[in-house]
Amino acid sequence: MNPVQNFEIFAPKLVDRKEYFSSGHRACQGCGEVLALRHILKALGDDVVVANATGCMEIISSGYPQTAWEVPYVHVAFENAAAAASGVEAALKALRRKGRIADRYVKTIAVAGDGGTADIGLQALSGAMERGHDMIFFCLDNEAYMNTGIQRSSATPYMAATTTSPAGQAIPGQRTQKKNVPEIMVAHRVPYVATACPSYPLDLISKVKKAAAVKGPSYIHVFSMCPTGWRCASEITIKIGRLAVETGVFPLYEVERGKYRLTMEVPEKLRPVGDYLKLQGRFRHLTPSDIEKIQDQVNREWEILLNKVECLQPW
Amino acid sequence: MGKRVGMEVAIAAAEAVALCNIDVAAVYPITPQSHIAEHMADIVHDGRIDAEFITVESEHSAISACAGASAAGARAYTATSSQGLMLMHEILPIVSAMRLPVCMANANRAVSGPLNIWNDHSDIMPQRDSGWICLFTENGQEVIDLSIMSFKIAEDPEVMLPCVVNIDGFQLTHMIEPFELPSQAEVAKFLPPRKPFAQLHPDNPISMGCFAMPDTYAETVKAKDVALRGAKKVVTRVFADWAKRFGRKYNVVETYKAKDADTLMLTMGSMGETASAAVDEMRKAGRKVGLVKLRLWRPFPVEEFKAAVAGCKTLIVMDRALSTGGAGGPVATDVKSVLYGEKKKPRVLNVIAGLGGRDLAVRDFENMFDLASKKKDETFEFYGVRE
C-alpha cells in the first residue's frame, strides 16, 4: 500500500465528510463490516439504492422504528439481495425511462455477508451477474455466520474454529478451504472484480468508485474483521486486517476485464501467517505443523495470484 | 368496446397484463405457466410495451426481483406454477408484510411428488396464509378481467397487498376460447400508472423491510390482517366499477341455481363450469341442487359465503388438494370453521377430487351429489381413487 503523503490535507478531498450510515447502530465494538459499509457509502454518495441481505448489517442497522441508513434501503430476505437489487435496478431504469422518477443516474448496490454471498445467496448472485444488471455486489466477508452465532460458512478458512466446526479432539476446526468467490465472479466475466479491506480505507474507497463507474455488474469482496467471531480484542481489528493482507492470507487486488492487478505493494517476502493466526482465538488450537500447513497453502495461493497478475491480459 | 378475439387463455393472460402498463416483469418458466412467460417476452421484445423483462434464474429470484421492483415504485408482475410457487413461498409473506402490490398469475398444478404437471390446487393451498389476495378464475374471460383488476385492487391505498390470480393449469391455461379483450385506452382509463405510497429513490431516502423486535412484530401481523380483510370491500368496489365500464359483473361468491337448492356444491376455479352442467342435468331430473363458487379465496368472504349457503341442507365442498393428515381438504376445513358458530347450518361433506389432472366429467359431479345424499356423517373422502 502506498502511504498517502500529507493525509490531513488531502483527506477531505479523498473522503466524503457526510455520513450515510449514522452512528447509534447496534454493531459490536471493532466491527470491520460496519466500518467497511461506512466507507463504501461515503464512496458512493447520495445517488444510490441499497438492497441488503439478512445478516449482521441488516440486524444492527434496521431495527424498527429506527434506521441507520441515510440512503434508500431495502431488505427482503437472506439469500436474495442480488435478486432484489435486480428488481430495483430494472424498476429504476423503467421508471426513469417513463419519466416517473427524476431523470438522474442512480446506482443500485447489493450488500450481503459471506453466507448470503458464498452459500445461500450464490445462485441469486450468479444470476444477477450473468444478466448484467447495473449493480455493485458487496460481500462483507467475516468468514462465518456471525449473526446467528458463529457457525461455519463456505467462506470460513481452513482449520478455523466455529460453533459448527469446533476444534474437537477428532476434527480440529473447519475441514475445507475457503470458497473463492472473487474467482467465481471473474469466471462470470464480471467487468470489475476486486478484493478490499477496511484496514485500507483509501484502497477500498477507490475500488468502490471504480466499480460505481462501471455501467454493468461489478463485485467487491470485502474482508471484514469480526472480533466477536474471531475471538480477538476489538481494538486490534484494524491491525488484524492489515496482518491478513501482509501475510498474504487476504491479498488486495482487482480484476478489470480479466486483467489482474495487485493494489498492495508486493513484498519481497510475505509475513509469516503465524503473525495473523496467533492473535485470534479461533486459531488457538493450531499446532506448529497446522500453521505450517496453512503457510504452505497461503504461499501456493499467493504464487497462483502472482502468476495471474503477470500473465493474464484484459479481454 | 373491446374486440372479440379467440386465443389460448395463457396468451390472453399475458395480453391482459400487457394492457396494464406494467414496469417490470420477472418470470421463470414452468409448465403450464410457460406460455404466459413466453408471450410476455414476445410482447416486450416486440416493443409493444415499455417494460423491463427480467429472465431470472429461479422463481425465488422472480418474486425477489418483483419485491425489489415494487419497492422502487414499479408495477411488477410475475407468473408461476406448482414447484415454482413452492420455491417462492419464503418470499410471499415478506412481499405482503412490506405491503408491496405485486401481481402474479399462478397456473395451478399439482406439487411433487410424484412429479405431476397437471392441474389441482395443491400449489396454492400452502400459500394461503401468506397475506396475498387470492382470486380464482373459471374461464378465459375471467382470466383477462381479473388479471387487469388485480392491479387495481392490489394498488388501492386501502389495500397495498400482493394479489395472485389462479388459473387452472392446462384445463384453463391451454384452452383456446373466444373472449373480449378490452382496448388499451379503456384499460388506461380504468388503471392509471401506479402511485406508490413510498418508493426507493434518493429524492426521499427511506428504509423498507426493516426487522422488528417482539414489541412491534405482532402489530405488523395484525395490520396486514386488517388490510387483507379490508381488501374485500375494495375487491367488491373494483368488481362494480368493472361491471359499469365493461358490462361484466363479478361477485366474490357466485351462486348457480342455489336459491331453492337443498344440496349445494362448492367449487373453486375452472371446475365450476363442468359442475354447472351437472347441476343443469340434475335439475332436469327434478333434483334441487345448486352450486356455490368462491372467486375470492383470501380474504375469505365470510358474510357472502354464509348468505350463499343459507337454507341448504347439505353442502358438498369439493377440494382439489388435501391437508395431509388433517381434517380434510383445506377449503372444507375453512368452510367448516366459518359455519361452526352458526345456529342453523348445513351438513358439510368434503370430497377430494380431481387431483393431479384426474379428469372429472359431468357424470362425476352427479356421482358426487349422489354420494353426498347417501352419506350420514361429515367426514371427507376421496372420489374415484382406486384402492
Side-chain angles (χ1 to χ4, degrees), chain B residues 45-334:
Chain B
H45 281 225
D46 286 340
R48 284 175 52 203
I49 62 169
D50 184 6
E52 289 292 314
F53 186 72
I54 314 179
T55 47
V56 274
E57 85 294 339
S58 73
E59 286 90 351
H60 195 284
S61 284
I63 191 66
S64 303
C66 283
S70 191
R75 181 170 287 162
Y77 177 78
T78 187
T80 191
S81 182
S82 183
Q83 302 304 118
L85 187 61
M86 301 292 269
L87 186 56
M88 288 181 177
H89 175 78
E90 187 215 1
I91 307 302
L92 299 181
I94 301 178
V95 175
S96 56
M98 289 172 76
R99 306 294 291 275
L100 302 172
V102 173
C103 285
M104 163 159 75
N106 180 44
N108 298 88
R109 164 185 148 183
V111 294
S112 221
L115 181 70
N116 177 300
I117 59 166
W118 293 275
N119 167 246
D120 69 29
H121 295 162
S122 56
D123 55 358
I124 190 65
M125 287 306 155
Q127 327 304 333
R128 71 181 164 167
D129 301 334
S130 301
W132 283 54
I133 297 163
C134 192
L135 295 160
F136 274 83
T137 56
E138 196 174 320
N139 55 47
Q141 188 67 60
E142 287 190 19
V143 169
I144 291 176
D145 295 355
L146 290 177
S147 296
I148 299 168
M149 281 190 272
S150 70
F151 289 101
K152 181 105 166 175
I153 296 163
E155 291 170 11
D156 191 287
E158 283 181 52
V159 180
M160 295 203 298
L161 284 170
C163 183
V164 52
V165 175
N166 288 281
I167 312 169
D168 280 334
F170 290 118
Q171 281 164 345
L172 193 46
T173 54
H174 286 54
M175 286 298 117
I176 295 173
E177 291 183 9
F179 27 61
E180 198 171 273
L181 199 64
S183 73
Q184 180 70 71
E186 284 171 323
V187 176
K189 223 188 269 170
F190 172 75
L191 184 72
R194 184 184 163 204
K195 278 201 198 86
F197 172 75
Q199 68 192 117
L200 297 168
H201 194 269
D203 283 349
N204 180 27
I206 47 157
S207 293
M208 296 174 79
C210 295
F211 101 98
M213 298 282 278
D215 60 342
T216 47
Y217 180 80
E219 279 70 13
T220 62
V221 171
K222 182 168 182 193
K224 182 159 84 173
D225 186 58
V226 168
L228 186 55
R229 284 173 201 282
K232 191 182 76 184
K233 197 173 62 202
V234 178
V235 172
T236 315
R237 195 161 73 209
V238 172
F239 281 178
D241 187 19
W242 187 267
K244 211 166 66 197
R245 289 168 192 261
F246 299 94
R248 286 184 294 276
K249 186 158 170 22
Y250 292 99
N251 295 306
V252 292
V253 178
E254 298 284 358
T255 53
Y256 183 68
K257 299 190 176 170
K259 247 184 193 148
D260 61 335
D262 48 32
T263 304
L264 285 174
M265 183 184 280
L266 185 142
T267 62
M268 293 201 307
S270 65
M271 276 292 159
E273 295 210 332
T274 322
S276 308
V279 166
D280 289 344
E281 289 298 315
M282 296 174 84
R283 282 273 174 182
K284 272 187 219 158
R287 293 179 60 180
K288 284 178 151 184
V289 295
L291 211 55
V292 179
K293 298 182 277 191
L294 278 188
R295 177 164 288 115
L296 181 66
W297 168 232
R298 281 292 181 276
F300 193 89
V302 178
E303 292 78 21
E304 292 83 349
F305 168 75
K306 280 183 186 168
V309 301
C312 85
K313 291 196 190 74
T314 304
L315 176 65
I316 307 163
V317 180
M318 188 204 159
D319 257 295
R320 308 198 72 191
L322 176 70
S323 172
T324 317
V331 182
T333 45
D334 244 30

Side-chain angles (χ1 to χ4, degrees), chain A residues 46 58-59 62-64 67 70 72-76 79-80 83-84 87-88 90-91 95 97-98 100 104 123-124 131, chain B residues 21-23 50 52 55-58 60-61 64-65 68-69 72 90-91 94 200-201 203 206-211:
Chain A
D46 288 302
E58 178 256 335
I59 291 298
S62 79
Y64 179 81
T67 180
E70 307 281 342
Y73 167 89
V74 64
H75 158 253
V76 182
E79 66 286 33
N80 64 357
V88 169
L95 295 179
R97 197 169 58 220
K98 291 178 170 186
R100 301 233 304 277
R104 192 166 85 238
Q123 178 186 312
R131 293 190 299 270
Chain B
N21 192 15
I22 59 162
D23 304 304
D50 184 6
E52 289 292 314
T55 47
V56 274
E57 85 294 339
S58 73
H60 195 284
S61 284
S64 303
E90 187 215 1
I91 307 302
I94 301 178
L200 297 168
H201 194 269
D203 283 349
I206 47 157
S207 293
M208 296 174 79
C210 295
F211 101 98

